[in-house]
Amino acid sequence: MDWVSSFTSDVVGKSLDGLALRHTAIASNLANVDTPGYKKREVSFESQLRSAIEARQSDGSQQADNSRPLAMRASSASHIALDAAPESLQQVQPQLNERDGEQFRNDRNGVDVEGEMVSLARNTERYLALSNLQSRIFRSTRTVISNGG
């Protein structure tokens, strides 16, 4: 057993990485609110993380084959491309995307200041909660080590 890290700690770490990148994207959006033609940036990682967690749960459980979720695949080249579900937590990588098509002003800028401020507050709240959880995990590990297991 690995005493330094656990699956929960690794999930929290990946989540913090994604939230940090999202914070950077939101800050970039707010910094470019007056830039003509600027496309809003967004970060997605939650669905990849969820897939990696579900893959681990299905590998370790004794479920019947018909209760496992089916993997999606495209049967035609004209279908919408599907992101490959990560098989492990190490394959989860936050994706930075530019959002095209949303325009709030005549200068074709896609940033809504109020929406970005709400996203910033929500992202900050999630980051603080997860960093607190990670801190508790580390304190528990330190206690186990210092008390001799």
Side-chain angles (χ1 to χ4, degrees), residues 7 17 20 22 27-28 34 39 41 45 49 53 68 73 75 86 89 95 100-101 108 115 119 125 133:
F7 185 71
D17 290 345
R22 181 174 289 147
S28 177
D34 291 325
K39 296 177 185 175
R41 294 181 178 174
F45 66 95
L49 194 59
I53 293 168
R68 290 186 182 173
R73 60 188 156 123
S75 58
L89 197 55
Q95 302 295 316
D100 200 12
R108 303 180 62 120
S119 295
E125 182 179 272
L133 176 60

Tab-separated table of all heavy atoms in Angstrom, residues 7 17 20 22 27-28 34 39 41 45 49 53 68 73 75 86 89 95 100-101 108 115 119 125 133:
chain	number	residue	atom	x	y	z
A	7	PHE	N	-5.920	7.086	-3.732
A	7	PHE	CA	-6.735	7.423	-4.892
A	7	PHE	C	-7.508	8.716	-4.631
A	7	PHE	O	-7.582	9.582	-5.499
A	7	PHE	CB	-7.684	6.273	-5.228
A	7	PHE	CG	-8.474	6.513	-6.482
A	7	PHE	CD1	-7.855	6.480	-7.719
A	7	PHE	CD2	-9.827	6.798	-6.429
A	7	PHE	CE1	-8.560	6.708	-8.891
A	7	PHE	CE2	-10.551	7.027	-7.591
A	7	PHE	CZ	-9.916	6.986	-8.818
A	17	ASP	N	-5.749	20.814	-9.960
A	17	ASP	CA	-5.065	21.207	-11.198
A	17	ASP	C	-6.058	21.807	-12.193
A	17	ASP	O	-5.796	22.844	-12.808
A	17	ASP	CB	-4.370	20.009	-11.845
A	17	ASP	CG	-3.173	19.517	-11.052
A	17	ASP	OD1	-2.698	20.246	-10.156
A	17	ASP	OD2	-2.720	18.380	-11.330
A	20	ALA	N	-7.316	25.204	-10.960
A	20	ALA	CA	-6.291	26.240	-11.110
A	20	ALA	C	-6.230	26.728	-12.559
A	20	ALA	O	-6.133	27.943	-12.814
A	20	ALA	CB	-4.936	25.711	-10.665
A	22	ARG	N	-8.709	26.583	-14.679
A	22	ARG	CA	-9.950	27.319	-14.890
A	22	ARG	C	-9.837	28.738	-14.336
A	22	ARG	O	-10.314	29.697	-14.944
A	22	ARG	CB	-11.126	26.586	-14.256
A	22	ARG	CG	-12.445	27.311	-14.462
A	22	ARG	CD	-13.627	26.519	-13.970
A	22	ARG	NE	-13.841	25.393	-14.865
A	22	ARG	CZ	-14.298	24.212	-14.470
A	22	ARG	NH1	-14.599	23.995	-13.202
A	22	ARG	NH2	-14.465	23.235	-15.349
A	27	ALA	N	-9.458	34.518	-15.320
A	27	ALA	CA	-8.674	35.746	-15.192
A	27	ALA	C	-8.323	36.309	-16.567
A	27	ALA	O	-8.381	37.533	-16.781
A	27	ALA	CB	-7.407	35.480	-14.386
A	28	SER	N	-8.000	35.436	-17.510
A	28	SER	CA	-7.711	35.871	-18.879
A	28	SER	C	-8.945	36.480	-19.528
A	28	SER	O	-8.862	37.500	-20.215
A	28	SER	CB	-7.201	34.690	-19.696
A	28	SER	OG	-6.979	35.067	-21.031
A	34	ASP	N	-12.227	44.019	-22.768
A	34	ASP	CA	-12.308	45.123	-23.729
A	34	ASP	C	-11.549	44.851	-25.021
A	34	ASP	O	-11.380	45.747	-25.839
A	34	ASP	CB	-11.779	46.416	-23.092
A	34	ASP	CG	-12.698	46.925	-21.998
A	34	ASP	OD1	-13.932	46.764	-22.139
A	34	ASP	OD2	-12.189	47.470	-21.000
A	39	LYS	N	-12.255	35.667	-27.803
A	39	LYS	CA	-13.133	34.520	-27.578
A	39	LYS	C	-12.951	34.032	-26.143
A	39	LYS	O	-11.828	33.814	-25.689
A	39	LYS	CB	-12.805	33.394	-28.557
A	39	LYS	CG	-13.069	33.771	-29.993
A	39	LYS	CD	-12.664	32.656	-30.921
A	39	LYS	CE	-12.828	33.097	-32.355
A	39	LYS	NZ	-12.330	32.093	-33.285
A	41	ARG	N	-12.577	31.839	-22.933
A	41	ARG	CA	-11.899	30.571	-22.688
A	41	ARG	C	-12.585	29.841	-21.543
A	41	ARG	O	-12.989	30.452	-20.557
A	41	ARG	CB	-10.435	30.807	-22.349
A	41	ARG	CG	-9.681	31.385	-23.512
A	41	ARG	CD	-8.248	31.590	-23.186
A	41	ARG	NE	-7.561	32.099	-24.374
A	41	ARG	CZ	-6.319	32.489	-24.383
A	41	ARG	NH1	-5.607	32.445	-23.279
A	41	ARG	NH2	-5.778	32.931	-25.486
A	45	PHE	N	-12.844	19.422	-17.352
A	45	PHE	CA	-12.100	18.250	-16.885
A	45	PHE	C	-12.985	17.317	-16.064
A	45	PHE	O	-12.632	16.167	-15.838
A	45	PHE	CB	-10.884	18.656	-16.039
A	45	PHE	CG	-11.242	19.308	-14.737
A	45	PHE	CD1	-11.335	18.571	-13.570
A	45	PHE	CD2	-11.481	20.667	-14.674
A	45	PHE	CE1	-11.658	19.172	-12.368
A	45	PHE	CE2	-11.802	21.274	-13.479
A	45	PHE	CZ	-11.894	20.530	-12.320
A	49	LEU	N	-12.633	13.224	-15.341
A	49	LEU	CA	-12.380	12.776	-13.978
A	49	LEU	C	-13.437	11.771	-13.537
A	49	LEU	O	-13.118	10.727	-12.961
A	49	LEU	CB	-12.351	13.987	-13.045
A	49	LEU	CG	-11.804	13.808	-11.653
A	49	LEU	CD1	-10.364	13.319	-11.693
A	49	LEU	CD2	-11.886	15.122	-10.899
A	53	ILE	N	-12.875	7.811	-12.478
A	53	ILE	CA	-13.350	7.283	-11.201
A	53	ILE	C	-14.270	6.091	-11.435
A	53	ILE	O	-14.155	5.053	-10.770
A	53	ILE	CB	-14.070	8.377	-10.382
A	53	ILE	CG1	-13.064	9.438	-9.946
A	53	ILE	CG2	-14.800	7.789	-9.180
A	53	ILE	CD1	-13.696	10.695	-9.384
A	68	ARG	N	-22.779	-2.678	-15.881
A	68	ARG	CA	-21.692	-1.750	-16.188
A	68	ARG	C	-22.120	-0.799	-17.301
A	68	ARG	O	-22.803	-1.200	-18.241
A	68	ARG	CB	-20.447	-2.501	-16.630
A	68	ARG	CG	-19.811	-3.251	-15.499
A	68	ARG	CD	-18.520	-3.857	-15.930
A	68	ARG	NE	-17.975	-4.613	-14.821
A	68	ARG	CZ	-16.915	-5.369	-14.919
A	68	ARG	NH1	-16.294	-5.486	-16.060
A	68	ARG	NH2	-16.480	-6.020	-13.876
A	73	ARG	N	-19.198	4.676	-28.847
A	73	ARG	CA	-18.281	4.756	-29.973
A	73	ARG	C	-19.057	5.206	-31.201
A	73	ARG	O	-20.252	4.938	-31.331
A	73	ARG	CB	-17.580	3.438	-30.215
A	73	ARG	CG	-18.487	2.302	-30.523
A	73	ARG	CD	-17.704	1.001	-30.551
A	73	ARG	NE	-18.631	-0.063	-30.277
A	73	ARG	CZ	-18.838	-1.093	-31.067
A	73	ARG	NH1	-18.140	-1.237	-32.157
A	73	ARG	NH2	-19.720	-2.000	-30.763
A	75	SER	N	-20.094	5.060	-35.018
A	75	SER	CA	-20.158	4.031	-36.050
A	75	SER	C	-20.064	4.623	-37.451
A	75	SER	O	-20.074	3.910	-38.432
A	75	SER	CB	-21.451	3.223	-35.905
A	75	SER	OG	-22.563	4.084	-35.993
A	86	PRO	N	-10.836	8.348	-20.205
A	86	PRO	CA	-9.547	7.936	-19.657
A	86	PRO	C	-9.690	6.642	-18.865
A	86	PRO	O	-10.683	6.430	-18.181
A	86	PRO	CB	-9.163	9.100	-18.742
A	86	PRO	CG	-10.443	9.772	-18.418
A	86	PRO	CD	-11.345	9.549	-19.583
A	89	LEU	N	-6.443	7.633	-13.833
A	89	LEU	CA	-6.443	9.004	-13.354
A	89	LEU	C	-5.299	9.816	-13.959
A	89	LEU	O	-5.433	11.017	-14.193
A	89	LEU	CB	-6.345	8.992	-11.827
A	89	LEU	CG	-6.721	10.245	-11.090
A	89	LEU	CD1	-8.123	10.697	-11.455
A	89	LEU	CD2	-6.620	10.038	-9.607
A	95	GLN	N	-8.876	20.429	-20.245
A	95	GLN	CA	-8.893	20.926	-21.618
A	95	GLN	C	-9.262	22.400	-21.631
A	95	GLN	O	-10.304	22.786	-21.102
A	95	GLN	CB	-9.916	20.143	-22.451
A	95	GLN	CG	-9.674	18.655	-22.494
A	95	GLN	CD	-8.378	18.303	-23.195
A	95	GLN	OE1	-8.071	18.852	-24.232
A	95	GLN	NE2	-7.627	17.398	-22.613
A	100	ASP	N	-16.609	29.848	-29.139
A	100	ASP	CA	-16.936	30.692	-30.279
A	100	ASP	C	-18.446	30.799	-30.408
A	100	ASP	O	-19.175	29.890	-30.063
A	100	ASP	CB	-16.348	30.095	-31.559
A	100	ASP	CG	-16.224	31.111	-32.668
A	100	ASP	OD1	-16.376	32.304	-32.401
A	100	ASP	OD2	-15.978	30.692	-33.810
A	101	GLY	N	-18.915	31.916	-30.914
A	101	GLY	CA	-20.338	32.066	-31.175
A	101	GLY	C	-21.060	32.957	-30.197
A	101	GLY	O	-22.070	33.546	-30.534
A	108	ARG	N	-17.615	41.948	-31.130
A	108	ARG	CA	-17.479	40.493	-31.218
A	108	ARG	C	-16.704	39.893	-30.047
A	108	ARG	O	-16.092	38.851	-30.163
A	108	ARG	CB	-16.849	40.087	-32.541
A	108	ARG	CG	-17.648	40.599	-33.738
A	108	ARG	CD	-16.998	40.191	-35.011
A	108	ARG	NE	-16.979	38.739	-35.100
A	108	ARG	CZ	-17.539	38.023	-36.049
A	108	ARG	NH1	-18.144	38.631	-37.025
A	108	ARG	NH2	-17.473	36.716	-36.041
A	115	GLY	N	-21.142	37.144	-15.616
A	115	GLY	CA	-21.035	35.689	-15.658
A	115	GLY	C	-19.648	35.202	-15.248
A	115	GLY	O	-19.508	34.194	-14.556
A	119	SER	N	-18.572	32.821	-12.127
A	119	SER	CA	-17.711	31.649	-12.339
A	119	SER	C	-16.467	31.717	-11.467
A	119	SER	O	-16.029	30.694	-10.918
A	119	SER	CB	-17.293	31.552	-13.811
A	119	SER	OG	-18.399	31.318	-14.634
A	125	GLU	N	-14.537	28.998	-4.566
A	125	GLU	CA	-15.161	28.222	-3.494
A	125	GLU	C	-14.798	26.737	-3.599
A	125	GLU	O	-14.453	26.093	-2.608
A	125	GLU	CB	-16.670	28.401	-3.567
A	125	GLU	CG	-17.449	27.693	-2.505
A	125	GLU	CD	-18.936	27.953	-2.661
A	125	GLU	OE1	-19.425	28.947	-2.113
A	125	GLU	OE2	-19.583	27.156	-3.368
A	133	LEU	N	-9.694	19.861	1.963
A	133	LEU	CA	-9.754	18.397	2.009
A	133	LEU	C	-8.364	17.795	1.837
A	133	LEU	O	-7.973	16.880	2.572
A	133	LEU	CB	-10.709	17.868	0.940
A	133	LEU	CG	-10.809	16.350	0.809
A	133	LEU	CD1	-11.298	15.720	2.106
A	133	LEU	CD2	-11.721	15.986	-0.351
